[in-house]
Amino acid sequence: MKNKLILLSVLFSLYACQSIKTTASKPEESSNLNIDRHTTAEITKIPVLNLGTFHMGETSDVHKTEFDENDKKNQNSIKNIAIKLAQFKPTVIIVETPPSFDDKLQAEYNSYLTNPKMTFKNPSEIEFLAYEIGRLCGTKKIHGIDHKMEYNFFIGKEIPNAIDASWHDNFYKDPFKFYPEINVDDSKLNLLDKLRLTNSNTYLNFLIEANAEMLSHVGTQNGFEGADEATKYYQRNMRMYSNLNRLQLTPNDRVFILLGASHSAYFRDFISRSPKYKMVNTFDYLK
């Protein structure tokens, strides 16, 4: 009995010592967490207004939105929207052109600043919206970040699909039926409401699914042909994001990004996770 009491006493002592060590370590862990929070608070992120749009001029995109860029009502609507977005006061404007076009882009933009009534042969959202926002704010710098890559959006119709042809084909017959919140006749919407719809999270998620992730349901018996094509679209957007990161931006900058909405969908995800950038609420400027 005496031996048992001694053994219990030893075990209790060991447990007590371990408990003291564990308790003693907590202030140090807490201190480290405080340091991490303090360090994070000191990081000043670059604010970004990320606007997705349909292409307002000629486009090679599979899906097009009808828009008469020569209609005076449309032009006036764009100018009113530009006034709203200009409240963000960007110091840098980013558009969907390749970086190799930057010198010509900057020169044309500078001409517009001097003569806002100048005409363009094939105007798009860049000339209509980006240039006007820049003019209203006195923005000096404009850059393109596009990176062209070919990918086969129609591969599901071109190979024997052994993964899930039924689901893939059913989706593309009427993709909007799976997204009832955005299943509207956009021809009945004014331009501002079209942009509000396009920049909603549901619509941006739909664009990623319809343009890429649905292809993961396509492939031969032992192949991943659809997934590989979808990866090319992701790669294109990641390379565009890399082009953004090549720019010498500082926390003093305010960055306005104007891209086709499927690219904006990816940029929403990239920027939202970034410790470098801060996504501002697009709808604060689409009132």
Side-chain angles (χ1 to χ4, degrees):
M1 182 68 177
K2 183 177 181 181
N3 290 337
K4 288 183 179 179
L5 289 173
I6 292 172
L7 177 59
L8 288 172
S9 177
V10 170
L11 290 175
F12 178 79
S13 298
L14 289 172
Y15 175 79
C17 289
Q18 183 62 39
S19 178
I20 291 170
K21 288 180 181 178
T22 303
T23 304
S25 68
K26 287 184 178 179
E28 183 180 351
E29 292 172 3
S30 177
S31 176
N32 286 339
L33 289 173
N34 288 336
I35 291 171
D36 290 341
R37 282 195 291 267
H38 181 68
T39 303
T40 302
E42 289 180 342
I43 298 173
T44 303
K45 294 187 176 184
I46 301 170
V48 176
L49 174 55
N50 176 49
L51 183 74
T53 182
F54 60 90
H55 291 301
M56 297 178 182
E58 295 180 3
T59 176
S60 59
D61 285 4
V62 174
H63 302 293
K64 301 177 178 65
T65 297
E66 291 299 322
F67 181 80
D68 183 359
E69 64 270 23
N70 297 309
D71 181 81
K72 293 296 182 184
K73 182 179 178 181
N74 285 337
Q75 292 177 3
N76 288 334
S77 294
I78 292 173
K79 288 185 177 181
N80 288 332
I81 291 169
I83 292 171
K84 296 176 183 294
L85 294 168
Q87 300 305 308
F88 175 64
K89 296 180 173 58
T91 61
V92 180
I93 293 176
I94 306 298
V95 294
E96 193 178 330
T97 58
S100 59
F101 188 70
D102 268 10
D103 288 345
K104 184 176 180 180
L105 175 70
Q106 187 69 53
E108 185 178 78
Y109 174 60
N110 290 342
S111 296
Y112 180 84
L113 295 179
T114 303
N115 177 23
K117 292 184 178 180
M118 69 182 290
T119 57
F120 302 95
K121 185 177 180 180
N122 295 305
S124 70
E125 65 276 8
I126 296 174
E127 291 81 9
F128 282 136
L129 198 53
Y131 285 5
E132 180 64 6
I133 290 169
R135 184 187 73 82
L136 292 171
C137 301
T139 308
K140 303 299 182 184
K141 295 183 288 186
I142 187 167
H143 299 278
I145 59 169
D146 195 13
H147 181 86
K148 300 295 185 184
M149 287 185 69
E150 296 295 329
Y151 88 116
N152 187 0
F153 178 81
F154 299 104
I155 193 169
K157 299 178 181 179
E158 298 175 0
I159 65 172
N161 185 3
I163 296 182
D164 197 343
S166 176
W167 174 251
H168 170 273
D169 296 347
N170 188 41
F171 177 84
Y172 284 116
K173 282 180 183 176
D174 184 9
F176 282 106
K177 78 178 180 181
F178 300 99
Y179 296 85
E181 310 97 304
I182 58 173
N183 190 8
V184 300
D185 183 359
D186 65 1
S187 67
K188 296 180 180 179
L189 300 178
N190 61 39
L191 184 56
L192 178 59
D193 285 338
K194 282 183 181 179
L195 289 176
R196 285 172 174 159
L197 175 69
T198 300
N199 285 274
S200 68
N201 278 325
T202 301
Y203 198 91
L204 295 176
N205 288 337
F206 159 74
L207 290 175
I208 293 176
E209 182 67 31
N211 282 279
E213 292 181 359
M214 183 53 60
L215 296 184
S216 66
H217 297 83
V218 175
T220 54
Q221 189 64 43
N222 296 308
F224 301 91
E225 293 86 351
D228 290 344
E229 290 302 316
T231 300
K232 292 177 185 177
Y233 199 63
Y234 181 90
Q235 183 181 26
R236 178 186 175 189
N237 285 282
M238 182 56 77
R239 289 189 177 189
M240 291 171 68
Y241 187 51
S242 290
N243 281 336
L244 172 67
N245 293 325
R246 292 177 194 273
L247 303 177
Q248 300 301 308
L249 302 173
T250 74
N252 293 322
D253 281 311
R254 298 176 63 80
V255 183
F256 173 65
I257 302 179
L258 179 67
L259 302 172
S262 68
H263 303 303
S264 297
Y266 283 94
F267 271 64
R268 171 201 58 176
D269 294 346
F270 299 155
I271 294 169
S272 295
R273 292 190 291 264
S274 171
K276 179 179 179 180
Y277 303 109
K278 176 179 67 177
M279 181 82 77
V280 304
N281 188 348
T282 305
F283 291 91
D284 288 345
Y285 300 93
L286 289 179
K287 296 178 180 179

